[in-house]
Amino acid sequence: MNATGALGQYGERLAVRRLSQAGMTVIARNWRCGRRGEIDIVARDGDAVVVCEVKTRRAGTFEHPSAGVTPAKADRLRRLAACWLDRHGAPPPGGIRIDLVGVLLPRRGAPVVEHVRGVA
């Protein structure tokens, strides 16, 4: 695994911890829908299914993690959410939501983990 992959996995572990602390239940990680792509985390939040994109960045090196969800990425996440529903049944009573967990790693100190609901 390269440094970028290790950074991404670390961010996903922090995201799972944050979502769990918020009372959500993670039901899948790195779920693939053929060549269409991958959902980083699928979770339940009450009676809703949450498709969660995780963006991890080092402070000062790149843009803020939330800038990583471009309109094209949002469209792709919506298609992946539809693929999840196709393979796992009808939408749950609470529907499906797309969230972002941004992880910012400062040069010093603890990571900053931000959960943004309903980004797409």
Side-chain angles (χ1 to χ4, degrees):
M1 174 179 300
N2 62 24
T4 302
L7 181 71
Q9 282 190 347
Y10 176 65
E12 286 181 15
R13 285 193 305 271
L14 292 174
V16 164
R17 185 181 313 156
R18 171 58 55 92
L19 296 173
S20 296
Q21 289 171 344
M24 297 170 71
T25 303
V26 173
I27 54 178
R29 288 182 64 182
N30 305 114
W31 184 82
R32 294 199 62 78
C33 183
R35 293 184 179 180
R36 294 181 199 169
E38 177 182 279
I39 298 173
D40 293 330
I41 299 170
V42 180
R44 280 210 180 270
D45 186 11
D47 61 355
V49 168
V50 179
V51 169
C52 190
E53 178 70 8
V54 180
K55 293 291 184 187
T56 306
R57 301 285 188 267
R58 293 189 185 279
T61 311
F62 296 101
E63 62 198 0
H64 190 273
S66 63
V69 181
T70 62
K73 181 68 172 184
D75 287 342
R76 189 162 156 244
L77 289 169
R78 283 189 282 272
R79 287 192 303 274
L80 286 166
C83 185
W84 171 267
L85 290 176
D86 286 346
R87 299 212 179 146
H88 293 88
I96 193 158
R97 186 177 78 225
I98 299 174
D99 290 1
L100 166 73
V101 175
V103 179
L104 190 60
L105 304 174
R107 294 187 192 279
R108 292 187 177 156
V112 177
V113 183
E114 181 179 82
H115 177 203
V116 182
R117 296 169 184 259
V119 297

